[in-house]
Amino acid sequence: MPTRQRARRVFLPALAPFPPALWPLVVHLPVLDVNGALVAALAAQAPFRAAPPIAAIFACDPFLRPRDMAASLRAAGITEVVNLPSVQAHEGEAAAALGAVGYRAEREFRVLLALAEHGLRPIAYAARQEEAEAALALGLRRLLLPAGPGWAELASHVAVEGGEALAWAP
């Protein structure tokens, strides 16, 4: 991939074994060790020298240690991180069950803040206005928003609240 394109790409190596058509589904199933695959992929390659990608992490991983993850990312030359996949993809009973054990967007955002304390630039994925408002309230200013109906309105809201809306382009 050309260097200029890589700088705006999200690096999620756990999806590599699957056909791209399945990525939107597979990424939200409990069949992947997103963070483990990321660390393993980084350990197996030379550090990014120019235009590193944005690292995707599963921020609700109960085994995630922000200090260790930040060290792995920095050693690989990565400076930016985003909370993908996100528990925000789930609705209804699934979202309620995840929320009951503490897996909420706010937890993801707090992990991003912890990673920022260790030198990384966070990008908060926010699927809806309530998540965007929660990210902004916690001080996160760069938000990745899903494309589709309502994107422009959500992006305008983020901008009015002092944030920077980034487009999701798969």
Side-chain angles (χ1 to χ4, degrees), residues 58-83:
F58 178 54
C60 281
D61 181 345
F63 303 107
L64 176 66
R65 295 173 44 137
R67 174 177 285 145
D68 295 343
M69 179 60 78
S72 294
L73 295 173
R74 286 193 323 270
I78 292 178
T79 59
E80 295 178 291
V81 63
V82 64
N83 55 308

Side-chain angles (χ1 to χ4, degrees), residues 109 126 128-135 154:
F109 300 150
R128 293 171 289 274
Q129 184 168 332
E130 64 235 36
E131 286 96 358
E133 289 174 355
L154 182 54

Side-chain angles (χ1 to χ4, degrees), residues 97-169:
L98 290 168
V101 294
Y103 291 8
R104 298 180 186 85
E106 183 180 342
R107 178 175 177 178
E108 294 178 347
F109 300 150
R110 291 192 184 281
V111 168
L112 290 176
L113 292 170
L115 291 166
E117 290 175 8
H118 295 288
L120 297 172
R121 290 186 64 205
I123 300 172
Y125 172 75
R128 293 171 289 274
Q129 184 168 332
E130 64 235 36
E131 286 96 358
E133 289 174 355
L136 291 165
L138 289 170
L140 294 162
R141 291 291 171 249
R142 298 173 68 221
L143 279 68
L144 178 63
L145 307 176
W151 184 88
E153 183 179 333
L154 182 54
S156 295
H157 176 76
V158 168
V160 166
E161 295 299 320
E164 176 188 357
L166 305 173
W168 173 258

